[in-house]
């Protein structure tokens, strides 16, 4: 059967990126910006620890998160039923505990190690969802990375590591509760309401810290910057990202966050990591990347 030849495109015609390619490039840039902003915010917040302590910095971060999310989502709080309220309240408690335990861990063991251990939360959720040999290998690799990071040393701070693992458990709970809240409340109303409740919970202790140790303008600015960089910017960037890249791609890119945290900790806080620490971080990152790549396939 004869076919009509397709029209030839002149070789001299300029090649322009497709709309899909531009959208994906924008999404990747947004993901990178979100990760850098989040880790930079944590590092900047750590600069205020000597004045406000982790509790004071987290309180300010929760207030900033509420100030950003509530006007954006505009939750109809009076219309919430108890079936909608109870996961929101749990999410608020988990949200605050996650940030407080992470920042306390950063204060004790540094940003890179704290974020790496915290990342075991979402990795555990991903590995628990499937039952394949590859997933078992990822779990073993992640466990090996944690064993390297938590190996006995004279200077090991096991309390700090425990706080980071608590943050990991809270992050896993945050993911599961977010799913429940998302099915019972439209849009971001549930997350915004949880941020508002968490801000109220931190109001007494935050005010107590501020009154007991009035912060300098520098310390207050660092705490506010941490709230903006670690809450407002990532939230808006993630909204932009998820409209442009698949969810699996988003999850795969998240695996670079421990590396970003280690680099930002080195540049902003002067934290140094040895070869063993980098090996442990690489093991956790690789386990997450392989797991997400397998889900994508």
């Amino acid at each position: 059967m004869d076919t009509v030849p397709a029209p030839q495109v002149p070789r001299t015609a300029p090649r322009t990126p497709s709309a899909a390619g531009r959208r994906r490039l924008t999404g990747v840039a947004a993901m990178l910006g979100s990760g850098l902003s989040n880790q930079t915010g944590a590092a900047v917040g750590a600069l205020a620890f000597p004045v406000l302590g982790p509790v004071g910095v987290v309180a300010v971060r929760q207030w900033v998160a509420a100030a950003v999310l509530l006007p954006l989502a505009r939750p109809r709080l009076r219309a919430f039923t108890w079936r909608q309220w109870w996961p929101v309240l749990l999410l608020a408690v988990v949200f605050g505990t996650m940030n407080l335990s992470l920042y306390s861990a950063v204060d004790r063991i540094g940003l890179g190690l704290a974020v790496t251990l915290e990342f075991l939360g979402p990795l555990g959720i991903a590995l628990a969802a499937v039952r394949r040999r590859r997933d078992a290998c990822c779990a073993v690799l992640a466990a090996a990375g944690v064993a390297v990071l938590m190996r006995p040393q004279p200077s090991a701070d096991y309390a700090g590591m425990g706080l980071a693992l608590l943050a990991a458990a809270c992050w896993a709970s945050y993911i599961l509760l977010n799913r429940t809240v998302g099915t019972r409340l439209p849009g971001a109303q549930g997350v915004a309401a949880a941020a508002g409740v968490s801000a109220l919970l931190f109001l007494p202790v935050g005010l107590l810290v501020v009154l007991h140790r009035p912060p300098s303008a520098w310390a207050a600015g660092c705490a506010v910057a941490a709230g903006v960089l670690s809450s407002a910017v990532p939230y808006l960037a993630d909204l932009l990202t998820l409209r442009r890249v698949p969810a699996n791609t988003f999850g795969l890119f998240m695996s670079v966050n421990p590396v970003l945290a280690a680099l930002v900790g080195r540049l902003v806080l002067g934290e140094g990591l040895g070869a063993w620490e980098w090996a442990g971080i690489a093991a956790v990152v690789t386990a997450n990347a392989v797991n997400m790549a397998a889900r994508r396939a």
Side-chain angles (χ1 to χ4, degrees):
M1 182 175 65
D2 294 334
T3 58
V4 179
Q8 298 296 320
V9 178
R11 293 185 179 180
T12 57
R15 295 183 178 181
T16 58
S18 65
R22 288 194 298 270
R23 287 171 62 86
R24 185 175 292 269
L25 184 61
T26 302
V28 170
M31 285 190 291
L32 180 60
S34 175
L36 284 174
S37 178
N38 197 8
Q39 305 310 330
T40 301
V44 170
L47 296 176
F49 285 171
V51 179
L52 291 172
V55 175
V57 174
V58 171
V60 174
R61 175 176 172 172
Q62 301 304 100
W63 299 339
V64 172
V68 171
L69 293 177
L70 287 173
L72 284 175
R74 296 181 180 179
R76 302 174 60 187
L77 301 179
R78 294 183 179 180
F80 285 13
T81 64
W82 173 243
R83 184 173 177 272
Q84 295 170 325
W85 262 120
W86 75 257
V88 167
L89 295 176
L90 286 179
L91 187 62
V93 173
V94 167
F95 190 30
T97 305
M98 177 176 66
N99 288 330
L100 182 57
S101 56
L102 175 63
Y103 275 52
S104 298
V106 170
D107 189 35
R108 300 179 70 100
I109 63 175
L111 183 63
L113 296 185
V115 171
T116 300
L117 293 174
E118 185 202 28
F119 214 73
L120 295 175
L123 176 59
I125 293 292
L127 292 176
V130 283
R131 299 288 188 274
R132 290 181 296 183
R133 184 177 301 176
R134 183 188 295 110
D135 304 307
C137 292
C138 289
V140 171
L141 182 59
V146 173
V148 168
L149 293 173
M150 301 187 68
R151 71 191 189 283
Q153 297 180 87
S155 60
D157 190 328
Y158 293 106
M161 294 177 184
L163 287 167
L165 292 177
L166 174 60
C170 288
W171 196 355
S173 302
Y174 180 82
I175 293 171
L176 297 176
L177 284 169
N178 245 330
R179 292 177 181 174
T180 302
V181 170
T183 60
R184 300 184 184 183
L185 288 164
Q189 288 192 44
V191 175
V197 173
S198 184
L200 289 176
L201 292 175
F202 273 91
L203 188 58
V205 66
L207 291 177
L208 185 62
V209 169
V210 170
L211 292 175
H212 181 65
R213 292 188 296 180
S216 63
W218 164 255
C222 287
V224 172
V228 173
L229 292 174
S230 295
S231 296
V233 173
Y235 175 75
L236 296 175
D238 291 347
L239 282 180
L240 177 67
T241 298
L242 291 172
R243 294 175 182 174
R244 286 167 170 76
V245 300
N248 286 339
T249 302
F250 180 80
L252 179 60
F253 191 87
M254 282 182 64
S255 64
V256 306
N257 272 279
V259 176
L260 292 176
L263 294 176
V264 170
R266 175 66 176 174
L267 294 174
V268 179
L269 302 175
E271 298 172 354
L273 297 175
W276 283 106
E277 283 75 18
W278 277 112
I281 290 175
V284 174
V285 168
T286 302
N288 186 77
V290 170
N291 178 263
M292 293 305 303
R295 284 167 161 262
R296 184 182 179 187

